[in-house]
Amino acid sequence: MRLVLLGAPGSGKGTQAERLKTALAVPHISTGDLLRAAVAAGTPLGLKAKVVMDAGQLVSDDVVLGMLEERLRQSDAHAGFILDGYPRNLAQADALDGLLKRLQQPLQAVVELRVPAEVIVERCRLRYEIQGRADDEPTTVRKRLDVFAAQTAPVIDYYAKRGQLKVVNGVGDLADVSARVMAALAPNASAAVG
Ligand code: AP5
């Protein structure tokens, strides 16, 4: 399965990808996790990315594409992947098309987890209190939501126009959301589930 999980920051993409990767027998590839690993390792790329991430803005397209290509070329991704956090703007959607064409691994499904903004701010606020992730601070979360509306929402339209998008209600128990995603991935699933 080659799946893109779309959704606003805090909509549950990472949580669901971790739950679904075993059932789908593919790795979870998160560009946010790849960037946070570079930050933690203190690489030059990580040091630059940290400033941008802490401000709730997007890291430059070429940096993220390079990291993603390197990750998709690793052997475990030959079986497929759940891509989380990419693409985040139309340029990245085009770049992903080109990359997957080069790798001869066309996308098979695109699922959007849809969650109201106020639910997202609360989820991130809780995580901020527990884990202290800098960009989960409520003011920064609202900036991330603005970036999502301006830059990532057009990506959702892009896949919808191509007839590839399934929309799933991302609110509720984790198991219920997972079941909705699996139903959306089933052959002939309807465009809206849950
Ligand atoms: P990234 O790591 O991709 O973050 P994000 O998508 O903005 O947000 P999250 O990871 O917080 O959201 P999620 O949807 O995965 O939700 P999660 O499962 O964690 O990106 C971080 C930054 O990196 C970006 O701002 C940008 O700077 C940079 N970046 C990344 N990719 C990039 C790209 N392609 N181009 C440029 N820059 C890029 O859940 C959130 C919380 O909610 C958790 O605490 C979870 O436990 C909880 N939760 C999940 N589901 C539920 C549920 N059903 N009920 C209750 N709580 C729930």
Side-chain angles (χ1 to χ4, degrees), residues 38-88:
V39 171
T43 64
L45 183 158
L47 294 175
K48 270 197 219 158
K50 184 178 188 316
V51 180
V52 179
M53 293 167 78
D54 286 354
Q57 302 295 330
L58 297 184
V59 175
S60 76
D61 290 345
D62 53 340
V63 165
V64 184
L65 180 65
M67 280 185 9
L68 179 64
E69 175 155 8
E70 196 177 305
R71 180 64 187 88
L72 284 178
R73 286 188 182 280
Q74 289 172 16
S75 58
D76 63 335
H78 295 169
F81 48 80
I82 304 173
L83 194 49
D84 153 19
Y86 195 97
R88 266 183 140 91

mmCIF file of all heavy atoms in Angstrom, residues 38-88:
data_model
loop_
_atom_site.group_PDB
_atom_site.id
_atom_site.type_symbol
_atom_site.label_atom_id
_atom_site.label_comp_id
_atom_site.label_asym_id
_atom_site.label_seq_id
_atom_site.Cartn_x
_atom_site.Cartn_y
_atom_site.Cartn_z
ATOM 1 N N ALA A 38 16.769 15.214 12.613
ATOM 2 C CA ALA A 38 17.905 16.054 12.193
ATOM 3 C C ALA A 38 18.176 17.140 13.240
ATOM 4 O O ALA A 38 19.330 17.467 13.537
ATOM 5 C CB ALA A 38 17.613 16.677 10.825
ATOM 6 N N VAL A 39 17.087 17.665 13.824
ATOM 7 C CA VAL A 39 17.251 18.677 14.884
ATOM 8 C C VAL A 39 17.958 18.035 16.076
ATOM 9 O O VAL A 39 18.928 18.583 16.619
ATOM 10 C CB VAL A 39 15.868 19.240 15.322
ATOM 11 C CG1 VAL A 39 16.013 20.118 16.565
ATOM 12 C CG2 VAL A 39 15.216 20.036 14.180
ATOM 13 N N ALA A 40 17.474 16.849 16.482
ATOM 14 C CA ALA A 40 18.043 16.174 17.662
ATOM 15 C C ALA A 40 19.511 15.824 17.434
ATOM 16 O O ALA A 40 20.324 15.871 18.358
ATOM 17 C CB ALA A 40 17.243 14.913 17.974
ATOM 18 N N ALA A 41 19.850 15.499 16.173
ATOM 19 C CA ALA A 41 21.241 15.128 15.858
ATOM 20 C C ALA A 41 22.126 16.367 15.736
ATOM 21 O O ALA A 41 23.354 16.248 15.646
ATOM 22 C CB ALA A 41 21.270 14.310 14.566
ATOM 23 N N GLY A 42 21.485 17.556 15.688
ATOM 24 C CA GLY A 42 22.255 18.801 15.603
ATOM 25 C C GLY A 42 22.976 18.969 14.291
ATOM 26 O O GLY A 42 24.006 19.661 14.220
ATOM 27 N N THR A 43 22.461 18.363 13.216
ATOM 28 C CA THR A 43 23.088 18.547 11.900
ATOM 29 C C THR A 43 22.861 19.994 11.431
ATOM 30 O O THR A 43 21.938 20.660 11.913
ATOM 31 C CB THR A 43 22.467 17.593 10.857
ATOM 32 O OG1 THR A 43 21.092 17.942 10.698
ATOM 33 C CG2 THR A 43 22.573 16.130 11.284
ATOM 34 N N PRO A 44 23.663 20.468 10.464
ATOM 35 C CA PRO A 44 23.451 21.837 9.963
ATOM 36 C C PRO A 44 22.020 22.018 9.463
ATOM 37 O O PRO A 44 21.377 23.037 9.714
ATOM 38 C CB PRO A 44 24.473 21.957 8.825
ATOM 39 C CG PRO A 44 25.539 20.965 9.164
ATOM 40 C CD PRO A 44 24.860 19.837 9.873
ATOM 41 N N LEU A 45 21.509 20.986 8.769
ATOM 42 C CA LEU A 45 20.134 21.061 8.270
ATOM 43 C C LEU A 45 19.158 21.172 9.448
ATOM 44 O O LEU A 45 18.223 21.983 9.437
ATOM 45 C CB LEU A 45 19.852 19.784 7.467
ATOM 46 C CG LEU A 45 18.523 19.614 6.759
ATOM 47 C CD1 LEU A 45 18.690 18.593 5.632
ATOM 48 C CD2 LEU A 45 17.408 19.170 7.686
ATOM 49 N N GLY A 46 19.401 20.354 10.491
ATOM 50 C CA GLY A 46 18.529 20.354 11.659
ATOM 51 C C GLY A 46 18.532 21.702 12.368
ATOM 52 O O GLY A 46 17.481 22.188 12.797
ATOM 53 N N LEU A 47 19.705 22.313 12.466
ATOM 54 C CA LEU A 47 19.789 23.601 13.163
ATOM 55 C C LEU A 47 18.990 24.668 12.418
ATOM 56 O O LEU A 47 18.284 25.478 13.027
ATOM 57 C CB LEU A 47 21.258 24.034 13.302
ATOM 58 C CG LEU A 47 22.109 23.134 14.217
ATOM 59 C CD1 LEU A 47 23.569 23.567 14.209
ATOM 60 C CD2 LEU A 47 21.561 23.145 15.649
ATOM 61 N N LYS A 48 19.050 24.637 11.076
ATOM 62 C CA LYS A 48 18.268 25.604 10.283
ATOM 63 C C LYS A 48 16.782 25.302 10.394
ATOM 64 O O LYS A 48 15.955 26.194 10.538
ATOM 65 C CB LYS A 48 18.673 25.501 8.797
ATOM 66 C CG LYS A 48 19.797 26.418 8.411
ATOM 67 C CD LYS A 48 19.830 26.543 6.897
ATOM 68 C CE LYS A 48 21.266 26.569 6.423
ATOM 69 N NZ LYS A 48 21.423 26.182 5.039
ATOM 70 N N ALA A 49 16.444 23.998 10.319
ATOM 71 C CA ALA A 49 15.035 23.601 10.326
ATOM 72 C C ALA A 49 14.366 23.961 11.650
ATOM 73 O O ALA A 49 13.197 24.348 11.673
ATOM 74 C CB ALA A 49 14.920 22.098 10.066
ATOM 75 N N LYS A 50 15.110 23.857 12.748
ATOM 76 C CA LYS A 50 14.511 24.079 14.074
ATOM 77 C C LYS A 50 13.869 25.465 14.180
ATOM 78 O O LYS A 50 12.761 25.611 14.682
ATOM 79 C CB LYS A 50 15.578 23.902 15.164
ATOM 80 C CG LYS A 50 14.997 24.025 16.557
ATOM 81 C CD LYS A 50 16.031 23.802 17.631
ATOM 82 C CE LYS A 50 15.432 23.722 19.020
ATOM 83 N NZ LYS A 50 14.431 24.701 19.367
ATOM 84 N N VAL A 51 14.570 26.469 13.679
ATOM 85 C CA VAL A 51 14.067 27.838 13.779
ATOM 86 C C VAL A 51 12.730 27.942 13.038
ATOM 87 O O VAL A 51 11.758 28.527 13.531
ATOM 88 C CB VAL A 51 15.096 28.818 13.143
ATOM 89 C CG1 VAL A 51 14.613 30.252 13.227
ATOM 90 C CG2 VAL A 51 16.450 28.642 13.800
ATOM 91 N N VAL A 52 12.681 27.349 11.858
ATOM 92 C CA VAL A 52 11.473 27.414 11.021
ATOM 93 C C VAL A 52 10.341 26.624 11.687
ATOM 94 O O VAL A 52 9.194 27.099 11.761
ATOM 95 C CB VAL A 52 11.785 26.829 9.623
ATOM 96 C CG1 VAL A 52 10.565 26.858 8.736
ATOM 97 C CG2 VAL A 52 12.950 27.574 8.977
ATOM 98 N N MET A 53 10.646 25.433 12.183
ATOM 99 C CA MET A 53 9.610 24.582 12.804
ATOM 100 C C MET A 53 9.058 25.227 14.065
ATOM 101 O O MET A 53 7.846 25.216 14.284
ATOM 102 C CB MET A 53 10.198 23.202 13.126
ATOM 103 C CG MET A 53 10.556 22.418 11.884
ATOM 104 S SD MET A 53 11.572 20.988 12.252
ATOM 105 C CE MET A 53 10.351 19.843 12.874
ATOM 106 N N ASP A 54 9.935 25.792 14.888
ATOM 107 C CA ASP A 54 9.466 26.406 16.134
ATOM 108 C C ASP A 54 8.553 27.596 15.864
ATOM 109 O O ASP A 54 7.731 27.961 16.711
ATOM 110 C CB ASP A 54 10.655 26.846 17.015
ATOM 111 C CG ASP A 54 11.337 25.648 17.674
ATOM 112 O OD1 ASP A 54 10.814 24.517 17.544
ATOM 113 O OD2 ASP A 54 12.390 25.847 18.313
ATOM 114 N N ALA A 55 8.689 28.201 14.683
ATOM 115 C CA ALA A 55 7.834 29.334 14.321
ATOM 116 C C ALA A 55 6.541 28.859 13.660
ATOM 117 O O ALA A 55 5.691 29.675 13.287
ATOM 118 C CB ALA A 55 8.597 30.281 13.387
ATOM 119 N N GLY A 56 6.407 27.542 13.473
ATOM 120 C CA GLY A 56 5.180 27.009 12.871
ATOM 121 C C GLY A 56 5.118 27.158 11.366
ATOM 122 O O GLY A 56 4.056 27.006 10.760
ATOM 123 N N GLN A 57 6.268 27.462 10.748
ATOM 124 C CA GLN A 57 6.314 27.638 9.285
ATOM 125 C C GLN A 57 6.843 26.368 8.616
ATOM 126 O O GLN A 57 7.308 25.458 9.285
ATOM 127 C CB GLN A 57 7.226 28.836 8.932
ATOM 128 C CG GLN A 57 6.788 30.144 9.562
ATOM 129 C CD GLN A 57 5.442 30.643 9.058
ATOM 130 O OE1 GLN A 57 5.065 30.390 7.918
ATOM 131 N NE2 GLN A 57 4.702 31.316 9.930
ATOM 132 N N LEU A 58 6.799 26.352 7.285
ATOM 133 C CA LEU A 58 7.263 25.179 6.544
ATOM 134 C C LEU A 58 8.747 25.287 6.207
ATOM 135 O O LEU A 58 9.217 26.340 5.783
ATOM 136 C CB LEU A 58 6.472 25.012 5.238
ATOM 137 C CG LEU A 58 4.977 24.750 5.373
ATOM 138 C CD1 LEU A 58 4.354 24.522 3.994
ATOM 139 C CD2 LEU A 58 4.690 23.563 6.275
ATOM 140 N N VAL A 59 9.440 24.167 6.361
ATOM 141 C CA VAL A 59 10.850 24.066 5.952
ATOM 142 C C VAL A 59 10.890 24.057 4.420
ATOM 143 O O VAL A 59 9.922 23.637 3.770
ATOM 144 C CB VAL A 59 11.455 22.773 6.556
ATOM 145 C CG1 VAL A 59 12.882 22.541 6.086
ATOM 146 C CG2 VAL A 59 11.401 22.837 8.091
ATOM 147 N N SER A 60 12.022 24.494 3.839
ATOM 148 C CA SER A 60 12.041 24.678 2.377
ATOM 149 C C SER A 60 11.804 23.362 1.636
ATOM 150 O O SER A 60 12.233 22.290 2.067
ATOM 151 C CB SER A 60 13.354 25.329 1.935
ATOM 152 O OG SER A 60 14.375 24.372 1.965
ATOM 153 N N ASP A 61 11.123 23.495 0.493
ATOM 154 C CA ASP A 61 10.701 22.313 -0.273
ATOM 155 C C ASP A 61 11.881 21.421 -0.660
ATOM 156 O O ASP A 61 11.777 20.199 -0.602
ATOM 157 C CB ASP A 61 9.979 22.756 -1.552
ATOM 158 C CG ASP A 61 8.619 23.377 -1.269
ATOM 159 O OD1 ASP A 61 8.115 23.219 -0.139
ATOM 160 O OD2 ASP A 61 8.070 24.020 -2.188
ATOM 161 N N ASP A 62 12.997 22.021 -1.093
ATOM 162 C CA ASP A 62 14.100 21.188 -1.592
ATOM 163 C C ASP A 62 14.732 20.363 -0.476
ATOM 164 O O ASP A 62 15.102 19.196 -0.670
ATOM 165 C CB ASP A 62 15.150 22.027 -2.354
ATOM 166 C CG ASP A 62 15.645 23.198 -1.545
ATOM 167 O OD1 ASP A 62 14.930 23.599 -0.592
ATOM 168 O OD2 ASP A 62 16.738 23.708 -1.827
ATOM 169 N N VAL A 63 14.815 20.951 0.723
ATOM 170 C CA VAL A 63 15.383 20.214 1.862
ATOM 171 C C VAL A 63 14.504 19.006 2.192
ATOM 172 O O VAL A 63 14.997 17.881 2.358
ATOM 173 C CB VAL A 63 15.498 21.150 3.100
ATOM 174 C CG1 VAL A 63 15.717 20.350 4.375
ATOM 175 C CG2 VAL A 63 16.614 22.151 2.911
ATOM 176 N N VAL A 64 13.210 19.234 2.259
ATOM 177 C CA VAL A 64 12.308 18.147 2.662
ATOM 178 C C VAL A 64 12.261 17.069 1.575
ATOM 179 O O VAL A 64 12.274 15.871 1.865
ATOM 180 C CB VAL A 64 10.896 18.691 2.967
ATOM 181 C CG1 VAL A 64 9.997 17.570 3.487
ATOM 182 C CG2 VAL A 64 10.968 19.788 4.004
ATOM 183 N N LEU A 65 12.259 17.483 0.309
ATOM 184 C CA LEU A 65 12.216 16.505 -0.783
ATOM 185 C C LEU A 65 13.460 15.613 -0.762
ATOM 186 O O LEU A 65 13.370 14.395 -0.941
ATOM 187 C CB LEU A 65 12.085 17.214 -2.135
ATOM 188 C CG LEU A 65 12.035 16.293 -3.354
ATOM 189 C CD1 LEU A 65 10.775 15.421 -3.332
ATOM 190 C CD2 LEU A 65 12.080 17.093 -4.658
ATOM 191 N N GLY A 66 14.610 16.229 -0.518
ATOM 192 C CA GLY A 66 15.859 15.449 -0.469
ATOM 193 C C GLY A 66 15.812 14.394 0.626
ATOM 194 O O GLY A 66 16.174 13.232 0.425
ATOM 195 N N MET A 67 15.318 14.813 1.799
ATOM 196 C CA MET A 67 15.212 13.870 2.928
ATOM 197 C C MET A 67 14.232 12.748 2.609
ATOM 198 O O MET A 67 14.462 11.583 2.934
ATOM 199 C CB MET A 67 14.674 14.607 4.167
ATOM 200 C CG MET A 67 15.702 15.395 4.903
ATOM 201 S SD MET A 67 15.053 16.124 6.430
ATOM 202 C CE MET A 67 13.496 15.386 6.582
ATOM 203 N N LEU A 68 13.125 13.125 1.971
ATOM 204 C CA LEU A 68 12.089 12.128 1.672
ATOM 205 C C LEU A 68 12.592 11.119 0.648
ATOM 206 O O LEU A 68 12.386 9.907 0.793
ATOM 207 C CB LEU A 68 10.830 12.840 1.147
ATOM 208 C CG LEU A 68 9.696 11.900 0.769
ATOM 209 C CD1 LEU A 68 9.179 11.146 1.992
ATOM 210 C CD2 LEU A 68 8.555 12.674 0.108
ATOM 211 N N GLU A 69 13.284 11.627 -0.380
ATOM 212 C CA GLU A 69 13.775 10.708 -1.414
ATOM 213 C C GLU A 69 14.737 9.685 -0.803
ATOM 214 O O GLU A 69 14.659 8.489 -1.089
ATOM 215 C CB GLU A 69 14.458 11.479 -2.560
ATOM 216 C CG GLU A 69 15.075 10.531 -3.572
ATOM 217 C CD GLU A 69 15.220 11.117 -4.965
ATOM 218 O OE1 GLU A 69 14.985 12.335 -5.142
ATOM 219 O OE2 GLU A 69 15.567 10.343 -5.885
ATOM 220 N N GLU A 70 15.629 10.194 0.050
ATOM 221 C CA GLU A 70 16.586 9.288 0.711
ATOM 222 C C GLU A 70 15.837 8.201 1.500
ATOM 223 O O GLU A 70 16.186 7.029 1.459
ATOM 224 C CB GLU A 70 17.442 10.137 1.654
ATOM 225 C CG GLU A 70 18.689 9.484 2.133
ATOM 226 C CD GLU A 70 19.483 10.458 3.003
ATOM 227 O OE1 GLU A 70 19.790 11.576 2.554
ATOM 228 O OE2 GLU A 70 19.769 10.088 4.156
ATOM 229 N N ARG A 71 14.781 8.620 2.192
ATOM 230 C CA ARG A 71 14.026 7.658 3.022
ATOM 231 C C ARG A 71 13.248 6.662 2.144
ATOM 232 O O ARG A 71 13.216 5.463 2.431
ATOM 233 C CB ARG A 71 13.061 8.424 3.945
ATOM 234 C CG ARG A 71 12.223 7.528 4.868
ATOM 235 C CD ARG A 71 13.093 6.771 5.838
ATOM 236 N NE ARG A 71 12.348 5.785 6.627
ATOM 237 C CZ ARG A 71 12.120 4.532 6.245
ATOM 238 N NH1 ARG A 71 12.579 4.095 5.073
ATOM 239 N NH2 ARG A 71 11.458 3.705 7.012
ATOM 240 N N LEU A 72 12.642 7.154 1.057
ATOM 241 C CA LEU A 72 11.839 6.256 0.209
ATOM 242 C C LEU A 72 12.709 5.252 -0.539
ATOM 243 O O LEU A 72 12.227 4.210 -0.971
ATOM 244 C CB LEU A 72 11.001 7.066 -0.795
ATOM 245 C CG LEU A 72 9.770 7.767 -0.230
ATOM 246 C CD1 LEU A 72 9.057 8.570 -1.319
ATOM 247 C CD2 LEU A 72 8.790 6.780 0.407
ATOM 248 N N ARG A 73 14.004 5.581 -0.678
ATOM 249 C CA ARG A 73 14.900 4.648 -1.368
ATOM 250 C C ARG A 73 15.380 3.525 -0.447
ATOM 251 O O ARG A 73 16.011 2.586 -0.912
ATOM 252 C CB ARG A 73 16.092 5.396 -1.978
ATOM 253 C CG ARG A 73 15.707 6.203 -3.224
ATOM 254 C CD ARG A 73 16.904 6.775 -3.922
ATOM 255 N NE ARG A 73 16.515 7.583 -5.080
ATOM 256 C CZ ARG A 73 16.179 7.094 -6.270
ATOM 257 N NH1 ARG A 73 16.214 5.803 -6.487
ATOM 258 N NH2 ARG A 73 15.823 7.906 -7.259
ATOM 259 N N GLN A 74 15.091 3.630 0.842
ATOM 260 C CA GLN A 74 15.509 2.546 1.752
ATOM 261 C C GLN A 74 14.640 1.310 1.502
ATOM 262 O O GLN A 74 13.475 1.416 1.098
ATOM 263 C CB GLN A 74 15.427 3.023 3.206
ATOM 264 C CG GLN A 74 16.524 4.041 3.508
ATOM 265 C CD GLN A 74 16.388 4.695 4.861
ATOM 266 O OE1 GLN A 74 15.671 4.221 5.728
ATOM 267 N NE2 GLN A 74 17.079 5.809 5.039
ATOM 268 N N SER A 75 15.227 0.144 1.780
ATOM 269 C CA SER A 75 14.604 -1.098 1.293
ATOM 270 C C SER A 75 13.225 -1.357 1.884
ATOM 271 O O SER A 75 12.351 -1.900 1.212
ATOM 272 C CB SER A 75 15.530 -2.284 1.554
ATOM 273 O OG SER A 75 15.788 -2.365 2.926
ATOM 274 N N ASP A 76 12.992 -0.940 3.147
ATOM 275 C CA ASP A 76 11.681 -1.258 3.742
ATOM 276 C C ASP A 76 10.539 -0.520 3.047
ATOM 277 O O ASP A 76 9.382 -0.937 3.133
ATOM 278 C CB ASP A 76 11.683 -0.971 5.249
ATOM 279 C CG ASP A 76 11.900 0.499 5.559
ATOM 280 O OD1 ASP A 76 12.499 1.214 4.728
ATOM 281 O OD2 ASP A 76 11.466 0.949 6.633
ATOM 282 N N ALA A 77 10.865 0.568 2.341
ATOM 283 C CA ALA A 77 9.818 1.338 1.657
ATOM 284 C C ALA A 77 9.481 0.766 0.279
ATOM 285 O O ALA A 77 8.552 1.248 -0.376
ATOM 286 C CB ALA A 77 10.232 2.806 1.539
ATOM 287 N N HIS A 78 10.209 -0.260 -0.126
ATOM 288 C CA HIS A 78 9.880 -0.852 -1.425
ATOM 289 C C HIS A 78 8.516 -1.527 -1.399
ATOM 290 O O HIS A 78 7.849 -1.655 -2.425
ATOM 291 C CB HIS A 78 10.968 -1.861 -1.855
ATOM 292 C CG HIS A 78 12.294 -1.200 -2.102
ATOM 293 N ND1 HIS A 78 13.458 -1.900 -2.283
ATOM 294 C CD2 HIS A 78 12.639 0.118 -2.172
ATOM 295 C CE1 HIS A 78 14.463 -1.048 -2.455
ATOM 296 N NE2 HIS A 78 13.984 0.173 -2.390
ATOM 297 N N ALA A 79 8.106 -1.969 -0.188
ATOM 298 C CA ALA A 79 6.788 -2.632 -0.053
ATOM 299 C C ALA A 79 5.646 -1.616 -0.038
ATOM 300 O O ALA A 79 4.483 -1.984 -0.114
ATOM 301 C CB ALA A 79 6.761 -3.437 1.237
ATOM 302 N N GLY A 80 5.994 -0.342 0.104
ATOM 303 C CA GLY A 80 4.981 0.712 0.196
ATOM 304 C C GLY A 80 5.268 1.588 1.397
ATOM 305 O O GLY A 80 6.330 1.471 2.024
ATOM 306 N N PHE A 81 4.326 2.477 1.722
ATOM 307 C CA PHE A 81 4.568 3.431 2.817
ATOM 308 C C PHE A 81 3.265 4.105 3.201
ATOM 309 O O PHE A 81 2.306 4.128 2.421
ATOM 310 C CB PHE A 81 5.578 4.507 2.368
ATOM 311 C CG PHE A 81 5.251 5.109 1.025
ATOM 312 C CD1 PHE A 81 4.290 6.094 0.899
ATOM 313 C CD2 PHE A 81 5.894 4.648 -0.127
ATOM 314 C CE1 PHE A 81 3.980 6.626 -0.345
ATOM 315 C CE2 PHE A 81 5.580 5.177 -1.383
ATOM 316 C CZ PHE A 81 4.614 6.171 -1.488
ATOM 317 N N ILE A 82 3.262 4.608 4.443
ATOM 318 C CA ILE A 82 2.239 5.572 4.856
ATOM 319 C C ILE A 82 2.978 6.895 5.010
ATOM 320 O O ILE A 82 3.832 7.041 5.898
ATOM 321 C CB ILE A 82 1.583 5.199 6.199
ATOM 322 C CG1 ILE A 82 0.986 3.793 6.150
ATOM 323 C CG2 ILE A 82 0.513 6.235 6.556
ATOM 324 C CD1 ILE A 82 0.466 3.301 7.518
ATOM 325 N N LEU A 83 2.692 7.838 4.141
ATOM 326 C CA LEU A 83 3.400 9.116 4.150
ATOM 327 C C LEU A 83 2.582 10.118 4.971
ATOM 328 O O LEU A 83 1.390 10.317 4.708
ATOM 329 C CB LEU A 83 3.566 9.579 2.698
ATOM 330 C CG LEU A 83 4.533 10.704 2.415
ATOM 331 C CD1 LEU A 83 5.884 10.468 3.067
ATOM 332 C CD2 LEU A 83 4.709 10.835 0.902
ATOM 333 N N ASP A 84 3.238 10.728 5.952
ATOM 334 C CA ASP A 84 2.569 11.620 6.919
ATOM 335 C C ASP A 84 3.326 12.946 6.933
ATOM 336 O O ASP A 84 4.514 12.972 7.231
ATOM 337 C CB ASP A 84 2.587 10.888 8.284
ATOM 338 C CG ASP A 84 2.555 11.794 9.500
ATOM 339 O OD1 ASP A 84 2.175 12.969 9.383
ATOM 340 O OD2 ASP A 84 2.921 11.301 10.586
ATOM 341 N N GLY A 85 2.627 14.023 6.587
ATOM 342 C CA GLY A 85 3.261 15.349 6.639
ATOM 343 C C GLY A 85 3.791 15.816 5.299
ATOM 344 O O GLY A 85 4.408 16.878 5.209
ATOM 345 N N TYR A 86 3.574 15.041 4.276
ATOM 346 C CA TYR A 86 4.047 15.388 2.933
ATOM 347 C C TYR A 86 3.050 14.823 1.922
ATOM 348 O O TYR A 86 2.670 13.640 2.064
ATOM 349 C CB TYR A 86 5.424 14.761 2.674
ATOM 350 C CG TYR A 86 6.149 15.348 1.481
ATOM 351 C CD1 TYR A 86 7.102 16.344 1.646
ATOM 352 C CD2 TYR A 86 5.852 14.920 0.193
ATOM 353 C CE1 TYR A 86 7.757 16.895 0.543
ATOM 354 C CE2 TYR A 86 6.494 15.481 -0.905
ATOM 355 C CZ TYR A 86 7.452 16.460 -0.710
ATOM 356 O OH TYR A 86 8.097 17.022 -1.791
ATOM 357 N N PRO A 87 2.592 15.536 0.915
ATOM 358 C CA PRO A 87 2.968 16.902 0.576
ATOM 359 C C PRO A 87 2.160 17.941 1.352
ATOM 360 O O PRO A 87 1.031 17.702 1.726
ATOM 361 C CB PRO A 87 2.630 16.976 -0.922
ATOM 362 C CG PRO A 87 1.500 16.012 -1.119
ATOM 363 C CD PRO A 87 1.715 14.918 -0.121
ATOM 364 N N ARG A 88 2.788 19.097 1.534
ATOM 365 C CA ARG A 88 2.178 20.162 2.324
ATOM 366 C C ARG A 88 1.870 21.393 1.501
ATOM 367 O O ARG A 88 1.336 22.373 2.022
ATOM 368 C CB ARG A 88 3.156 20.569 3.421
ATOM 369 C CG ARG A 88 2.904 19.840 4.704
ATOM 370 C CD ARG A 88 3.880 20.381 5.708
ATOM 371 N NE ARG A 88 3.295 20.553 7.004
ATOM 372 C CZ ARG A 88 3.320 19.605 7.944
ATOM 373 N NH1 ARG A 88 3.831 18.432 7.688
ATOM 374 N NH2 ARG A 88 2.815 19.831 9.123
#
